[in-house]
Structures are given as structure tokens and as C-alpha cells.
Amino acid sequence: MSGLGESWIDGNVLAGGLREVFAVDLTVATARCAGCGRTGTMAEARVYPQAPGLVARCVGCDAVLLRMVRAPDRAYLDLHGLAYLEVPLPESAG
Amino acid sequence: MARAAVLGRLTWQVATVESARTETATARTLVLAVPGWPGHLAGQHVDVRLTAADGYSTQRSYSIANAPEPDRVELTVQRVAGGEVSPYLVELAEPGDRMEVRGPVGGYFTWSPDAPDPVLLVAGGSGIVPLMAMIRTRAAIGSRAPFRLVYSSRGPDDVVYQAELDRLAIGGSGVDCTYVYTRSTPPGWPRAPGRLSGAELAAAGWPAERRPQVFVCGPTGFVEAVANHLVDQGHLGHRVKTERFGPTGGGA
């Protein structure tokens, strides 16, 4: 049980870094892959933590969904692989 | 419900080591005092940041082991050979030491205590930690949701929380435990060491018709194999939640 095939972990690990930037937990959001159109929960994406930062890839086609790099005084977030996000929110009268 | 909550800005907080418990030869539980800790959902994790005297800092994500309580977080950490953070947490950290934590984070791999559905927990090695938080939360709130745990370890000495799980197994607690050993077994154990099979998983778990909520945590290869067995057995994808922590880290 070793090798690059198992070097990924679940999207759950994105939770802390994304919560530094966003007010909601994006790991429970439904995400659509801009590459193949597959939708799934962000927490189910395959995350490769070996890069400088975190790279999340689509379970269906392996395309990059999201890249996140944290520098001491800022975060870099590449979201071009996401066609949309559906985010659960509390019910609002508005 | 927390998964739909709009949250405040997530910031690092200082945590102080209150006490430490040795769990196995390579795993230790740190009890951290975190003033203002808001509590958490069973299965959530926390990011831990260590900063050296020269300013170098590094962070890791760890599952929370305890049931929610104010101002306190317990982490059970498995030492990863050659790791940067876990050797310090498992071997060196002492009461009074400080580190930074932020959390709780992650609303996906969480058990809702108000759900009455049967629950199947499948642990590979130190993947037991967030599942133990679910078992402890169930006990703390008096939930009657029937739980079954299937726990794969290298050998009997690698089982974390054995004494506590043994206490649970006595007296119809509603938590049934099945142990699988992959490399060495206790004396007289009826099963030869080996990986958890689909048939064993089916026998120790719930039939898919019961629509159990399933949580699987462990090394990536272990979780992949278990998730494939579960799908083959008819469990619905959205009822099976997984947390993979990479190629090693606890030994399934």
C-alpha cells in the first residue's frame, strides 16, 4: 500500500484554509467540475498536499478544481476548474 | 445545524497542553485547554500550527477525539516516521506547552446526534480517532442509534482505545465492535492475519436495506477498498462518508 496512487487525501482537509477566506464551510458545498461537468461534494475531491499548497482534483476526470497556496500575509486561490458552487445556508427571509 | 451555519472568521487560538495519555507505542492523546473553544461536531478536525524559535512554522490537520465539551480538545496523534509535527506531539509535548489551533473545521465527515439511523464505523489504524469521537458523543448524549464498529489494525498492540472499547462492549451498550488484524493476532485468535474482506465487512456491518450512515476513515488504500466493498454491497454513495489520510500513518 504505497506509491503515488495513494498520495491523495480527501477534500475535508481544505476546510481550515478555505475558512480563512470564506464565511461558510465550502467543503460541504456541491461543486461542478468545469472539465467534465461532474458534480460532487467538495469534501470528496481528491487533494494532493505534496505541492506548495493544496491541489484539489475532480474524482471523475482528474482535472484541477482548485489550488490554494498560503503565503505569510495572503492566500492565493485558483478556482478556474470550478463551474459553480452550491452552498448550504441558513434559511433567510430575504 | 452547523453545516448550514454562517460562521465567524476562523482564527488561530493558543492551546495549552493540559495532560497526555499514552495510547499505544506510537500514539498518544494530548488534552488541550483552548479557552473559548465553542465545541464541535463528532468527526470534525482541527488544524494545529507549530512555530519554531526561528520563526519557521508548519501545520497539520488532526481529527478531534473527544465528545464536544467547552474549552477542551483532545487529539490522538499517531507518530509518522520522518514526520515533522507528529513526533513532537507524540514524544515531546509536555503539560504547559503551547501551540496554535484553529477550528473546529470540516462539516462533511460528521455524525448528527439527532439521527436515529444505524451507523457503521470502519476504521483503519489511527482512522479510529474521529469515529471514537462519534462513539463518545453517542454515549455523552444518550443516543440510542445502533452503532457497529469494524476496526482494522496491524496487531493487538496497535489498537487505540482498547480498554474503553472493551467497556463499551459489555452490557448491551448498543455499540458492537469487530476487530480485524492484518499482520499479527492475539494468541488463539480464530482468524489468520489479513486484510478486511468484503464478506467480513458485510457480516460485521448493516445490510444496505437498513440504509445505515457509514463513516470510513483510514489510510487512502484502506478507505478505497472498503468504499468499493460497500458500493458493491448496495450502499448508497451519499450514505458513505470517507476520510483518507494518505499512504500511511496508522497501519491498517
Side-chain angles (χ1 to χ4, degrees), chain B residues 123-125 151-160 179-184 194 222 250-252:
Chain B
Y151 185 178
S152 171
S153 307
R154 284 184 181 151
D157 294 342
D158 299 300
V159 174
V160 188
Y179 299 92
V180 172
Y181 305 101
T182 58
R183 296 193 190 172
S184 63
F222 173 85

Short mmCIF file of all heavy atoms in Angstrom, two decimals, chain B residues 123-125 151-160 179-184 194 222 250-252:
data_model
loop_
_atom_site.label_atom_id
_atom_site.label_comp_id
_atom_site.label_asym_id
_atom_site.label_seq_id
_atom_site.Cartn_x
_atom_site.Cartn_y
_atom_site.Cartn_z
N ALA B 123 -12.80 1.61 10.67
CA ALA B 123 -11.54 2.29 10.96
C ALA B 123 -10.37 1.47 10.47
O ALA B 123 -10.32 0.26 10.68
CB ALA B 123 -11.40 2.51 12.47
N GLY B 124 -9.42 2.13 9.84
CA GLY B 124 -8.13 1.53 9.52
C GLY B 124 -7.06 2.25 10.33
O GLY B 124 -6.86 3.45 10.17
N GLY B 125 -6.41 1.54 11.25
CA GLY B 125 -5.35 2.14 12.06
C GLY B 125 -5.83 3.34 12.84
O GLY B 125 -6.88 3.30 13.49
N TYR B 151 -12.89 -2.47 13.07
CA TYR B 151 -11.64 -1.77 13.34
C TYR B 151 -10.48 -2.66 12.90
O TYR B 151 -10.24 -3.71 13.48
CB TYR B 151 -11.60 -1.47 14.84
CG TYR B 151 -10.45 -0.66 15.36
CD1 TYR B 151 -10.40 -0.32 16.71
CD2 TYR B 151 -9.42 -0.21 14.55
CE1 TYR B 151 -9.36 0.42 17.24
CE2 TYR B 151 -8.38 0.55 15.06
CZ TYR B 151 -8.35 0.85 16.41
OH TYR B 151 -7.31 1.58 16.93
N SER B 152 -9.78 -2.23 11.86
CA SER B 152 -8.64 -2.97 11.33
C SER B 152 -7.33 -2.38 11.84
O SER B 152 -7.11 -1.17 11.71
CB SER B 152 -8.68 -2.92 9.79
OG SER B 152 -7.49 -3.46 9.25
N SER B 153 -6.50 -3.23 12.44
CA SER B 153 -5.20 -2.79 12.95
C SER B 153 -4.14 -3.77 12.51
O SER B 153 -4.43 -4.90 12.16
CB SER B 153 -5.17 -2.76 14.49
OG SER B 153 -6.22 -2.03 15.00
N ARG B 154 -2.89 -3.34 12.59
CA ARG B 154 -1.80 -4.28 12.27
C ARG B 154 -1.79 -5.44 13.25
O ARG B 154 -1.68 -6.59 12.88
CB ARG B 154 -0.46 -3.55 12.31
CG ARG B 154 -0.26 -2.69 11.09
CD ARG B 154 1.10 -2.02 11.09
NE ARG B 154 1.21 -1.20 9.89
CZ ARG B 154 1.95 -0.11 9.79
NH1 ARG B 154 2.66 0.30 10.82
NH2 ARG B 154 1.98 0.58 8.67
N GLY B 155 -1.86 -5.12 14.53
CA GLY B 155 -1.84 -6.16 15.56
C GLY B 155 -2.53 -5.66 16.80
O GLY B 155 -2.91 -4.49 16.89
N PRO B 156 -2.71 -6.52 17.80
CA PRO B 156 -3.45 -6.12 19.01
C PRO B 156 -2.81 -4.95 19.75
O PRO B 156 -3.52 -4.16 20.38
CB PRO B 156 -3.45 -7.39 19.87
CG PRO B 156 -2.49 -8.34 19.22
CD PRO B 156 -2.34 -7.94 17.80
N ASP B 157 -1.47 -4.81 19.65
CA ASP B 157 -0.82 -3.71 20.36
C ASP B 157 -1.04 -2.37 19.68
O ASP B 157 -0.69 -1.32 20.23
CB ASP B 157 0.69 -3.97 20.46
CG ASP B 157 1.00 -5.17 21.34
OD1 ASP B 157 0.11 -5.57 22.12
OD2 ASP B 157 2.11 -5.72 21.22
N ASP B 158 -1.57 -2.38 18.48
CA ASP B 158 -1.80 -1.14 17.75
C ASP B 158 -3.21 -0.60 17.92
O ASP B 158 -3.55 0.44 17.38
CB ASP B 158 -1.53 -1.36 16.26
CG ASP B 158 -0.10 -1.78 15.99
OD1 ASP B 158 0.80 -1.00 16.34
OD2 ASP B 158 0.12 -2.89 15.47
N VAL B 159 -4.05 -1.34 18.65
CA VAL B 159 -5.44 -0.91 18.85
C VAL B 159 -5.47 0.25 19.84
O VAL B 159 -5.04 0.11 20.99
CB VAL B 159 -6.31 -2.08 19.34
CG1 VAL B 159 -7.71 -1.59 19.67
CG2 VAL B 159 -6.37 -3.18 18.29
N VAL B 160 -5.96 1.38 19.37
CA VAL B 160 -6.10 2.55 20.24
C VAL B 160 -7.44 2.46 20.97
O VAL B 160 -8.41 1.94 20.40
CB VAL B 160 -6.04 3.85 19.40
CG1 VAL B 160 -5.98 5.08 20.29
CG2 VAL B 160 -4.84 3.83 18.46
N TYR B 179 -13.03 -6.73 15.46
CA TYR B 179 -11.62 -6.40 15.23
C TYR B 179 -11.05 -7.27 14.12
O TYR B 179 -11.33 -8.46 14.05
CB TYR B 179 -10.79 -6.60 16.50
CG TYR B 179 -11.25 -5.71 17.63
CD1 TYR B 179 -12.20 -6.15 18.56
CD2 TYR B 179 -10.77 -4.41 17.75
CE1 TYR B 179 -12.63 -5.33 19.58
CE2 TYR B 179 -11.20 -3.58 18.77
CZ TYR B 179 -12.14 -4.05 19.68
OH TYR B 179 -12.57 -3.22 20.67
N VAL B 180 -10.25 -6.65 13.28
CA VAL B 180 -9.55 -7.36 12.21
C VAL B 180 -8.07 -7.00 12.34
O VAL B 180 -7.73 -5.82 12.51
CB VAL B 180 -10.09 -6.92 10.83
CG1 VAL B 180 -9.24 -7.50 9.71
CG2 VAL B 180 -11.54 -7.35 10.66
N TYR B 181 -7.20 -8.02 12.30
CA TYR B 181 -5.76 -7.78 12.40
C TYR B 181 -5.10 -8.16 11.09
O TYR B 181 -5.38 -9.23 10.54
CB TYR B 181 -5.16 -8.57 13.56
CG TYR B 181 -5.85 -8.30 14.87
CD1 TYR B 181 -6.80 -9.19 15.39
CD2 TYR B 181 -5.59 -7.13 15.58
CE1 TYR B 181 -7.45 -8.93 16.58
CE2 TYR B 181 -6.24 -6.87 16.78
CZ TYR B 181 -7.17 -7.77 17.27
OH TYR B 181 -7.82 -7.50 18.45
N THR B 182 -4.22 -7.29 10.61
CA THR B 182 -3.65 -7.54 9.28
C THR B 182 -2.28 -8.20 9.33
O THR B 182 -1.87 -8.81 8.36
CB THR B 182 -3.53 -6.22 8.49
OG1 THR B 182 -2.70 -5.31 9.24
CG2 THR B 182 -4.90 -5.61 8.25
N ARG B 183 -1.56 -8.09 10.46
CA ARG B 183 -0.20 -8.67 10.48
C ARG B 183 0.03 -9.65 11.62
O ARG B 183 0.76 -10.62 11.46
CB ARG B 183 0.85 -7.56 10.57
CG ARG B 183 0.81 -6.70 9.33
CD ARG B 183 2.01 -5.82 9.23
NE ARG B 183 1.81 -4.84 8.16
CZ ARG B 183 2.61 -3.83 7.92
NH1 ARG B 183 3.67 -3.63 8.67
NH2 ARG B 183 2.36 -3.00 6.93
N SER B 184 -0.53 -9.38 12.80
CA SER B 184 -0.37 -10.33 13.91
C SER B 184 -1.65 -10.30 14.74
O SER B 184 -2.32 -9.27 14.82
CB SER B 184 0.84 -9.95 14.77
OG SER B 184 0.63 -8.69 15.36
N GLY B 194 -4.83 -10.72 8.06
CA GLY B 194 -5.07 -10.42 6.65
C GLY B 194 -6.01 -9.23 6.54
O GLY B 194 -6.63 -8.81 7.52
N PHE B 222 -6.78 1.69 2.22
CA PHE B 222 -7.78 1.00 3.03
C PHE B 222 -9.17 1.57 2.75
O PHE B 222 -10.14 0.81 2.53
CB PHE B 222 -7.42 1.16 4.51
CG PHE B 222 -8.47 0.64 5.46
CD1 PHE B 222 -8.49 -0.70 5.81
CD2 PHE B 222 -9.42 1.49 6.01
CE1 PHE B 222 -9.46 -1.19 6.69
CE2 PHE B 222 -10.39 1.02 6.88
CZ PHE B 222 -10.40 -0.32 7.21
N GLY B 250 -0.89 4.94 10.24
CA GLY B 250 -1.52 4.28 11.35
C GLY B 250 -1.56 2.78 11.17
O GLY B 250 -1.68 2.03 12.13
N GLY B 251 -1.45 2.34 9.97
CA GLY B 251 -1.36 0.91 9.75
C GLY B 251 -2.69 0.22 9.84
O GLY B 251 -3.26 0.04 10.90
N ALA B 252 -3.23 -0.11 8.71
CA ALA B 252 -4.47 -0.87 8.70
C ALA B 252 -4.13 -2.28 8.30
O ALA B 252 -4.78 -2.97 7.68
CB ALA B 252 -5.45 -0.24 7.73
#
